[in-house]
Each structure stands twice: as structure tokens, then as C-alpha cells.
Amino acid sequence: MQSRPRIPEATVARLAVYLRVLSGLADGGRGTVSSGELASAAGVNPAGLRKDLSHLGPCGTRGVGYEVATLRDRIAGVLGMETAHACVLVGLGNLGSALAGYGGFGSRGFEFVGLFDASPARVGQEVGGRVVRPMEELDEVVTATRATIGVIATPAEVAQGVCDRLTSAGVRSILNFAPVALTAPAGVDVRQVDLSVELQVLAFLDKQRGPATTVLAPAGGMA
Amino acid sequence: MQSRPRIPEATVARLAVYLRVLSGLADGGRGTVSSGELASAAGVNPAGLRKDLSHLGPCGTRGVGYEVATLRDRIAGVLGMETAHACVLVGLGNLGSALAGYGGFGSRGFEFVGLFDASPARVGQEVGGRVVRPMEELDEVVTATRATIGVIATPAEVAQGVCDRLTSAGVRSILNFAPVALTAPAGVDVRQVDLSVELQVLAFLDKQRGPATTVLAPAGGMA
DNA sequence: AACCGCTTGTGAACGCAGGAACAAAGTCCC
DNA sequence: GGGACTTTGTTCCTGCGTTCACAAGCGGTT
């Protein structure tokens, strides 16, 4: 049976959300939760949540619900959070600095073991409790720390070059914030996060919903 | 109205990517592009790109390709970028400051007309060329500027309260970076961006792909 | 000990997105 | 002027994700 033959990627993303909610409930001393309540807190459909959870085997008690601590540990195990993940971050402009100082990563088992920037002005500065290192040390740090995840927060022009250096150093997973499509060798997984795309989708939905949907506007014909 | 009954949301997100690539090509003086080249630059399948573009009517020349400037303007029009969009940003911690200073928004027609923070220590400071204002002025600024988009970059605990204030002030679209599921009244569109979720998906894929997939294996040539 | 309500887990149908193959059309060359 | 090549636009199909609805199981109660 191998309780994890394959889990859909969309489900994995939601599991991470459930995990966050469960952690909050556990901190609040909550013992059990129902799928309805958990789904409401996560912003998804209750049936979908149960289906997501079914991918990791039966982990609830019928008539009662899910044991918060148990389910949390189970999800954490499936997501590979038993062991901490070493990450390197390249590019410490505004966005990179924000990522380096973002507490949401460290509390989830992701640790930045190296911060890198090509600009001599940034090298040596301290960001988020770590010292920024020059690009020349990237390969060495990745090898020494066995970092598997690389985060790119550089300008678009140099992102591909950084990607190449990361992959050749041994990084197998890349999270790219630069607005370019990266090409990486097979076996390396790249995830793209484009902040401005999200805004543009919002703008489109707003336009589509009503070119003149003022809440007032009783009279026909806008100007 | 007839030419745009509805465009799938996934297509809209990709249109934003095509638009970025086309802008770069236009700046380079490029006259026409084929779907293959454009798809390669955007990181998608050529057939899928043509299907996406088909939603906005025929806009290419068979045997030649797409006229860069024309297609760019067409997409920009569909995405509602003819007119600039006024946005307000709440929460100027590390992430909020990065967003306020991110050039990728302004160059795409999104302007932050108001930066807000609850902390008196941040009010009055200048971030990204704008002065941070107290939360009390939020309603007034939204009304005066007719801002339609609100960006939340606050801690999770206060995000729902900020969402309520934004919606009651008249904001119809919300981009939420806080790691909580927001509930908003009908007619208000909320998009969630969770940075740590992306990392966790990467960690899972890495774990699933192979607990010990070393890339080296120099001995024994691969045929 | 048996009944009843509540909740999980699963099976099936619907809709959507993605990919591949084919026809239409326009241009370049001879 | 005609043929052939190139490239778009469309259509079909396969697979996935999502949702609804029902059966199975456990706890509490009388």
C-alpha cells in the first residue's frame, strides 16, 4: 500500500496550510477538531479537506474528529519537516532582506545557512542575524552545509546565472522571486513566485466584475 | 462584451507573464515573435500559449507570428492596465517595506497611494518615497483616492481586522501576505500569498523524489 | 446492552485545465 | 502567378482537481 504513493501537488500546498492552523490550535490547548472547523479556519471545503487527509491514511476518529497534536505531527512528517532544511538566499535587496528576516521560515524548519549578494556594498552587512557573504563563497557553503534549497531574490537579469551556479553547486530545489522563467537541468525543481502577477489578476477580476460597479451608481450610463 | 465572456483565471495569470516578456522584447526593438519563442521565454507550452491568446480574439498573423507592440497593448487592455490602479498597503515591517520599494509594481501600473501602519514608531517614516500614515487615515485616503486594491502585510493576528477596515472603506480586491485565511463579504476578492507554503512544497517534492538522490554517481557511464 | 447522533472516509460525477494533432491562412520564393 | 513552407487558431482527448452525496464506525446515553 505504501501510504504515500503520490500526493497531488495541490494537496501538498493545502497540507502546509492545515499544519499552520493545527499548530495554532495546539498552542491554544485544543485537543480535537472536526473537519468542518479545520476547513473553515483554512478557508477550504470540508469534503476537500477530508480527501486531502485521506492521502496519508486514516488519522481521525469517527464521531469525534482529529486529534490536533497527532494530526499535526503526521502532516509534519509527510512534508518532511522532521529534519530542518538548510536554505541559501541569493540577493539581499528589499525583498531578499525581508525574506531573510521573515520569522515564518525559521518556525517551520527552514533555516538560511547562507546569504549571498554580488554587491560589495552589501557583503559583510548583517541581515536577519546573518552576515552577507560574497558570491564566491556560494559553492563552498552549499557543499559544506549540504543545502538543498536555494532562494533567488535578485534582479531578473542575473537570475538565470544565479540559478546555474546554485544547481551546479548541488541545490535541487529553487524558489525564484525574480520575474523571469528559469531553465534548470532535469532533476531540479523550480517554483516561480511573481508578486506583480497576483496584483494583475486582482486588477483583471475587478475589471471583469464590473467596469463601473460603484456601489451607488443607480443611474445608467457611466462616464 | 462579446469577445470576453470569461477568461479562465489560470490564463489571466499567464497573460501577465506574457505581457512582461513582450515588454522586454519591445524594448529590445523586436518587431514580431512566434508562439514558440514567446512560450519558451515564458516557460509554457506553445500550444497552451496560443490557446490563451485565442481568448482575446485573433491577434496574430499566420505564417509570421505576433506583432510585439500590438499584442502587448492588447493584453494590457484586457488586464485593465490602461488606467493606473491605486493601491493601499497596510503593514510596513520587513515584507511591507520590500513591497513598497519594489519597482515591479510601479512599472506595471500599480501605484501605492497610501502606506499605513499601526505602530507609532513607523508612522512618519519614509518608505519607497512615501510617508507612512497612521491607521486612522486609512478610510479617508481610500475614499479620496478611490483605491480599489488593498495589500495586507501585517502580522497574522491583526490581518482580519485590517481586512474588515479595508472592505468597509470600499476596497474590492485584497492581496494578503499574512498567513491566515481571511473572510471577506461577497463582492470582495481575496488572494492569498503564503511564502512559507512554497518552501514546504519544495521540501516535500525533494523528499518524495529521493531520500538520497546523490547527483554524482561518476562510476558507470549512463547510456 | 442497544439505540441514536455525529463525524470520518470513500466512491462517483462534474467541470476545468493541459497537451497533442489537424486544418486554415498568409507569406516568401521561384 | 503558383506552389510550398511556416505559423496561427481550433478541436479533440486525456487526466486532474473539486464537489457532492452516501455508507461505515465510534461515542454517549438510557
Side-chain angles (χ1 to χ4, degrees):
Chain A
M1 88 173 206
Q2 290 78 21
S3 60
R4 57 192 81 142
R6 66 174 181 211
I7 300 183
E9 199 168 304
T11 294
V12 174
R14 282 189 296 265
L15 284 178
V17 177
Y18 306 153
L19 178 59
R20 187 210 311 136
V21 176
L22 287 168
S23 298
L25 288 174
D27 293 347
R30 188 65 174 279
T32 58
V33 233
S34 67
S35 66
E37 189 177 358
L38 190 55
S40 171
V44 300
N45 188 294
L49 180 138
R50 291 200 297 271
K51 176 160 286 224
D52 286 339
L53 262 47
S54 73
H55 283 107
L56 25 109
C59 47
T61 312
R62 297 174 190 238
V64 178
Y66 300 95
E67 204 172 341
V68 172
T70 306
L71 184 57
R72 178 197 50 176
D73 297 343
R74 177 80 76 95
I75 295 179
V78 170
L79 293 182
M81 290 184 54
E82 318 153 301
T83 62
H85 291 270
C87 313
V88 292
L89 170 63
V90 183
L92 282 121
N94 282 318
L95 181 58
S97 300
L99 294 173
Y102 183 44
F105 294 148
S107 64
R108 284 187 164 56
F110 296 98
E111 187 191 2
F112 286 117
V113 297
L115 311 179
F116 301 91
D117 201 296
S119 164
R122 294 201 172 275
V123 171
Q125 290 191 347
E126 188 168 323
V127 179
R130 296 243 161 214
V131 175
V132 179
R133 318 173 84 144
M135 289 296 292
E136 289 76 25
E137 302 179 6
L138 193 148
D139 204 282
E140 168 192 349
V141 170
V142 169
T143 306
T145 62
R146 266 185 286 276
T148 54
I149 298 180
V151 180
I152 300 179
T154 65
E157 299 81 33
V158 300
Q160 183 62 59
V162 171
C163 176
D164 296 340
R165 294 192 65 166
L166 285 170
T167 53
S168 70
V171 167
R172 298 196 299 174
S173 303
I174 290 180
L175 185 59
N176 177 36
F177 287 89
V180 276
L182 297 181
T183 60
V188 175
D189 199 38
V190 177
R191 283 185 80 84
Q192 179 79 25
V193 177
D194 194 322
L195 302 178
S196 65
V197 166
E198 300 293 332
L199 271 183
Q200 281 176 323
V201 172
L202 276 178
F204 170 79
L205 293 175
D206 186 49
K207 181 185 181 183
Q208 189 186 42
R209 195 160 34 187
T213 311
T214 324
V215 188
L216 348 153
M222 43 84 67
Chain B
M1 296 296 186
Q2 61 281 3
S3 64
R4 60 190 77 143
R6 69 177 178 206
I7 301 182
E9 200 169 302
T11 294
V12 174
R14 283 189 295 267
L15 284 178
V17 177
Y18 306 153
L19 179 59
R20 186 210 310 138
V21 176
L22 286 168
S23 297
L25 288 174
D27 293 347
R30 187 67 173 279
T32 57
V33 233
S34 67
S35 66
E37 188 177 359
L38 191 53
S40 171
V44 299
N45 188 293
L49 181 138
R50 292 200 297 272
K51 176 173 286 196
D52 287 338
L53 262 47
S54 73
H55 284 107
L56 27 109
C59 46
T61 311
R62 298 176 187 232
V64 178
Y66 299 94
E67 203 171 341
V68 173
T70 305
L71 184 57
R72 177 197 51 176
D73 297 343
R74 177 80 76 95
I75 294 179
V78 171
L79 293 182
M81 289 184 53
E82 316 153 303
T83 62
H85 290 269
C87 313
V88 292
L89 171 64
V90 182
L92 281 121
N94 283 318
L95 181 58
S97 300
L99 294 172
Y102 183 45
F105 294 148
S107 65
R108 284 187 165 56
F110 296 97
E111 187 191 1
F112 286 118
V113 297
L115 311 179
F116 301 91
D117 201 295
S119 164
R122 295 201 171 275
V123 172
Q125 290 190 347
E126 188 167 322
V127 179
R130 294 244 163 214
V131 175
V132 180
R133 317 173 85 146
M135 289 295 292
E136 288 76 25
E137 301 179 7
L138 193 149
D139 204 282
E140 169 192 347
V141 170
V142 170
T143 307
T145 61
R146 266 186 285 276
T148 54
I149 297 179
V151 180
I152 300 179
T154 66
E157 299 80 34
V158 300
Q160 183 62 60
V162 170
C163 176
D164 296 341
R165 294 191 65 166
L166 285 170
T167 53
S168 70
V171 166
R172 298 196 299 174
S173 303
I174 289 180
L175 185 59
N176 178 36
F177 287 90
V180 276
L182 297 181
T183 60
V188 175
D189 200 39
V190 177
R191 282 185 80 85
Q192 179 79 25
V193 177
D194 195 324
L195 302 178
S196 65
V197 166
E198 300 293 333
L199 272 184
Q200 280 176 324
V201 172
L202 275 178
F204 169 79
L205 293 175
D206 186 47
K207 181 184 180 183
Q208 188 185 42
R209 194 161 35 189
T213 308
T214 323
V215 190
L216 329 166
M222 338 203 14

